[in-house]
Amino acid sequence: MSIFGGDSKFESSIKFVPYPQEAVYRNISDLRNLEKVQDRIPEDKVNDLTFDEDTVGVNVAPVGELKLRICEREEPKCVKFETVQSPVPFNVWIQVLPVDEASSKMKVTVKADLNPFIKSMVEKPLQEAVEKIADALAQVQYT
């Protein structure tokens, strides 16, 4: 880590999901399934949501245009994303682990290379965003 920046990690709390690990993984590993949660995204914060199987693009106020691509699928437990377009490069992991045959648990992690000045400004909103993403994903019907 240099004095100019370093990896900053933001993790959601662990969320209980009342669906089997395989069903959750199958849905989050294909971004076309975002259609199921599109109505839960606050329109005052997010505009112009576009997606296909591997990428998602969105205009986030006040950040601007963000585009993420799935860079790794580790069936059935993890999907990793990397930024394609963003003011700050970052990675996102969505981990899914089984609780039992019918339920699982999930955690969302964001890792970004932030200098101390930027980190002090975005730390709280980014942590809140990670938690909201995890909450939204935990409420999806993974059938």
Side-chain angles (χ1 to χ4, degrees), residues 54-112:
D54 295 319
T55 59
V56 59
V58 67
N59 197 329
V60 180
V63 177
E65 189 73 29
L66 293 178
K67 191 167 193 176
L68 296 169
R69 174 181 58 224
I70 293 177
C71 59
E72 188 178 330
R73 290 176 174 93
E74 194 177 331
E75 191 174 356
K77 60 183 178 180
C78 186
V79 179
K80 296 180 182 177
F81 300 82
E82 63 185 0
T83 52
V84 176
Q85 181 178 346
S86 170
V88 176
F90 63 92
N91 293 79
V92 178
W93 291 263
I94 303 173
Q95 296 167 284
V96 184
L97 295 173
V99 171
D100 56 34
E101 289 178 7
S103 62
S104 51
K105 55 188 178 179
M106 173 188 298
K107 182 169 84 171
V108 176
T109 304
V110 171
K111 190 173 178 185

Side-chain angles (χ1 to χ4, degrees), residues 17-31:
V17 184
Y19 294 93
Q21 177 187 26
E22 294 77 17
V24 176
Y25 175 83
R26 187 175 55 250
N27 276 271
I28 63 172
S29 64
D30 182 343
L31 295 176

